[in-house]
Amino acid sequence: MTSPSAPRRLVIATRESALALWQAEHVRTRLAGLYPHTHVDLLGMTTQGDRVLDRPLAAIGGKGLFIKELEVAMAEGRADLAVHSLKDLPMEMPSGFALAAVTAREDPRDAFVSHRYARLADLPDGAVVGTSSLRREAQLRERFPAIEVKALRGNVNTRLRKLDEGQYDAIILAAAGLKRLGFGDRIADLIAPEDCLPAVGQGALAIECRADRHDLIELLAVLGDTATTLVATAERAFSRMLSGNCHTPLAAHGDWMGDRLWLRGLVASARSRRSGRGRRCRRGAGARARRQLPRARRGAARGRMNVHALAPREPARGPLSGLGIVVTRPARQAGAFAQKLAALGATPIAWPAIVILPPDDPAPLARVHATLDRYDLAFFISANAAEYGAPPVGRWPARLSAYAPGPGTAEALAGVGVPDARIPATSFDSDGLLALPELADVQGKRVIIFRGSGGREQLAEVLAQRGATVESVDCYRRAAPAGDAHGIVDVLREGRAHALTLTSSEGADNLMRAAGDEGRALLARLPAFVPHPRIADRVRALGLDARLTPGGDAGLIAGLLEWARVRTTSA
């Protein structure tokens, strides 16, 4: 997926080891593909963890020493984001920083590297094995008590050189790092997780930025991988529950088997050969995955995993092949729709026309959460209202009936612990909600409406006319994206966009305002698919060719497919 809505320059802070530079370059390449008009620079830095090599990592402060200087660069504005190995991040993110995305995982296993022996089981008594990890050391000592485990520090090249010099009979490294640096042929054997459980997050990359950079968090959304993020979230939660740190030999490994997420964990003693193991399975996890993402995303402000939608794969062959479709919804919500388009062969082009932010004053929402028991009916105006307005999981009163304007919002509510939301039987909007028979008479009912700031008053006014006592609470606010639309204009000028989807009047206004005269003229040539008559009226007033296709995402896709069919027939 490409996206023209991005700053003209981004700076990635990175350590200067070969592996760290590979990881940063990998993210720079992905960003360049997504945002071709953004210049991405690398800011190389040497961290305290890189400088001190004569002592075990646990003795000098742990893996946090690899990221502190990078965070200082972001805090001072010298860098916009940093790329890390996820396994190197502390389980609790420092205040003021957010984990913006977790990329698709490389091989999470440990690698056995040796010139003399083919696998761990071949090691003789007294063999010297090098590793820098208490986790690996504990598992090695438990399985092979007669071998000697010797500390091994330095970057990948340094560790391999020490092996080649004969300082060790074998060394254990992360397979992902070896493969990324082109040393896959040095791997004698890949160690099964059953034999050596990997580190939490091993094989995945983490992208960090300042928590107040909401614009950047939105733009980094498409770099995230849903399956990896959910697994990593489970692994990191396991570590947090056991207070895992660099002094604790702890491991966790999640794996998908169909729609089941299996999590295996281990905690060991640093002084003895004793360890405890366990595993759990979450059934139906795959089906629930996307519903869980909004709650995880909201945790970013608390330093937890900030999860975003899965970036679509390369477009498949299908009825929309060769067609660029501009997607203007907020970046966090664009991923699932973009995947549907890509599965049909389209090339989604993201230009998030609205940025969703927390409310300026969170106190009113907190007061509503504290008194939910006094309401009879609750309405969530959008998926954003579900994401930002729902209380913590487990706090929703069983007697409080929830209502949503459509299936997307109802699904988002289910993912944050508000089940069985009622949706309209006809149009997916406030009019459809008000047409529900049980809302014809709400005399004496207490109603709370979760909405964005500046939202329409129609629902509140009609319910009040029908006898309800109505309150509204702003749980998020909308903002126009920063900067101009130089990228979208270039895409239009080059003929790479063939159709446009608009899901809000405000988004249409923002897009046209940012596009400038040339961009507006080019946008007017494209069909603009919209899901609601009110949006269609606004889009037409802006001079665009509005194509009304009711029915949410399904309606938009049906309209695009019919347009593409007619377009092909007429060609």
Side-chain angles (χ1 to χ4, degrees):
M1 182 170 68
T2 60
S3 173
S5 177
R8 294 185 181 276
R9 184 172 183 260
L10 287 172
V11 178
I12 301 174
T14 175
R15 295 164 57 203
E16 293 185 313
S17 71
L19 181 57
L21 288 170
W22 184 97
Q23 293 171 170
E25 188 62 47
H26 172 73
V27 171
R28 174 160 69 173
T29 300
R30 289 200 62 192
L31 287 170
L34 291 165
Y35 311 125
H37 301 282
T38 296
H39 184 74
V40 185
D41 290 321
L42 302 186
L43 175 63
M45 308 182 70
T46 300
T47 69
Q48 182 70 2
D50 297 311
R51 287 189 287 267
V52 181
L53 298 175
D54 59 346
R55 282 169 284 169
L57 196 59
I60 60 173
K63 293 182 177 180
L65 293 178
F66 289 124
I67 68 171
K68 181 62 178 176
E69 282 92 340
L70 309 187
E71 289 173 340
V72 170
M74 289 187 284
E76 294 176 348
R78 292 183 287 123
D80 299 289
L81 62 146
V83 180
H84 314 284
S85 294
L86 180 59
K87 67 183 180 66
D88 290 341
L89 281 188
M91 294 305 113
E92 296 288 350
M93 294 292 292
S95 176
F97 293 92
L99 185 48
V102 175
T103 68
R105 199 171 208 170
E106 236 299 359
D107 193 330
R109 292 174 291 181
D110 286 324
F112 177 78
V113 184
S114 176
H115 298 299
R116 304 176 185 176
Y117 306 102
R119 54 197 179 101
L120 267 173
D122 295 339
L123 291 173
D125 292 353
V128 178
V129 179
T131 178
S132 61
S133 162
L134 291 178
R135 167 190 64 84
R136 293 180 184 130
E137 180 178 351
Q139 295 183 82
L140 286 171
R141 291 188 185 280
E142 181 184 33
R143 291 195 62 220
F144 305 100
I147 67 172
E148 179 186 349
V149 180
K150 183 179 175 182
L152 175 65
R153 291 289 313 280
N155 59 40
V156 173
N157 298 73
T158 299
R159 297 183 194 195
L160 291 172
R161 176 179 54 79
K162 290 180 178 180
L163 172 70
D164 295 341
E165 291 172 350
Q167 297 183 35
Y168 304 88
D169 294 302
I171 61 176
I172 310 296
L173 301 173
L178 289 168
K179 291 181 177 182
R180 284 168 175 154
L181 289 177
F183 292 130
D185 59 347
R186 297 292 303 265
I187 299 173
D189 190 34
L190 289 168
I191 305 173
E194 293 79 8
D195 296 326
C196 189
L197 208 59
V200 169
Q202 185 160 305
L205 301 183
I207 302 173
E208 181 187 19
C209 67
R210 280 172 25 192
D212 61 357
R213 289 291 306 274
H214 302 290
D215 58 330
L216 186 55
I217 290 173
E218 290 281 332
L219 290 170
L220 294 173
V222 293
L223 297 179
D225 178 81
T226 302
T228 302
T229 301
L230 290 166
V231 167
T233 302
E235 293 173 1
R236 288 169 67 83
F238 171 84
S239 181
R240 273 196 301 271
M241 290 295 292
L242 294 175
S243 301
N245 54 47
C246 61
H247 301 283
T248 306
L250 183 147
H253 178 61
D255 199 12
W256 291 101
M257 297 182 66
D259 68 344
R260 300 180 182 183
L261 174 57
W262 283 93
L263 180 68
R264 285 175 287 184
L266 172 144
V267 62
S269 168
R271 298 182 179 180
S272 70
R273 294 186 174 92
R274 300 179 60 187
S275 65
R277 288 179 169 83
R279 68 175 186 170
R280 292 288 300 273
C281 175
R282 179 70 179 270
R283 296 177 183 274
R288 283 192 291 266
R290 197 158 281 110
R291 297 200 299 267
Q292 297 296 331
L293 294 181
R295 175 65 62 191
R297 286 200 294 264
R298 287 169 57 183
R302 300 188 293 274
R304 304 285 184 165
M305 187 75 69
N306 189 18
V307 185
H308 302 288
L310 175 67
R313 299 180 179 88
E314 290 298 316
R317 298 298 302 172
L320 298 181
S321 290
L323 299 175
I325 311 297
V326 180
V327 179
T328 59
R329 61 186 64 186
R332 288 178 177 176
Q333 300 167 9
F337 185 59
Q339 288 178 72
K340 295 173 184 177
L341 294 176
L344 294 168
T347 299
I349 302 167
W351 196 87
I354 295 179
V355 177
I356 304 300
L357 303 172
D360 288 321
D361 182 7
L365 180 61
R367 287 193 292 269
V368 168
H369 286 169
T371 57
L372 282 173
D373 284 328
R374 66 193 183 97
Y375 299 105
D376 303 295
L377 308 173
F379 293 82
F380 290 84
I381 297 304
S382 64
N384 291 316
E387 176 178 342
Y388 287 91
V393 174
R395 293 269 304 277
W396 189 257
R399 60 170 292 276
L400 180 53
S401 299
Y403 290 81
T409 303
E411 185 177 9
L413 284 170
V416 294
V418 183
D420 304 321
R422 291 274 285 131
I423 64 174
T426 54
S427 60
F428 294 145
D429 54 15
S430 295
D431 291 331
L433 282 171
L434 291 168
L436 289 171
E438 68 264 34
L439 298 181
D441 182 6
V442 289
Q443 186 69 38
K445 300 288 187 182
R446 296 188 65 91
V447 173
I448 180 66
I449 298 176
F450 296 89
R451 66 178 193 179
S453 59
R456 298 173 68 228
E457 299 291 345
Q458 176 197 11
L459 183 62
E461 291 173 353
V462 174
L463 290 172
Q465 292 168 4
R466 295 178 182 180
T469 300
V470 182
E471 299 176 38
S472 297
V473 61
D474 293 346
C475 50
Y476 67 94
R477 56 192 172 94
R478 297 175 295 272
D484 59 23
H486 60 278
I488 189 66
V489 174
D490 289 341
V491 167
L492 294 167
R493 189 186 297 122
E494 294 163 7
R496 291 191 281 129
H498 304 90
L500 176 70
T501 62
L502 290 162
T503 52
S504 75
S505 298
E506 185 178 0
D509 288 338
N510 291 341
L511 174 61
M512 296 296 278
R513 187 181 305 115
D517 291 340
E518 182 186 7
R520 285 190 287 271
L522 293 169
L523 286 167
R525 301 175 185 175
L526 305 183
F529 292 85
V530 300
H532 193 276
R534 186 175 63 253
I535 303 172
D537 290 343
R538 180 57 188 162
V539 168
R540 292 189 184 101
L542 291 169
L544 298 180
D545 178 14
R547 310 284 182 94
L548 178 60
T549 55
D553 284 359
L556 289 172
I557 288 175
L560 285 165
L561 289 171
E562 176 60 19
W563 161 75
R565 185 191 66 78
V566 173
R567 186 175 186 272
T568 301
T569 303
S570 303

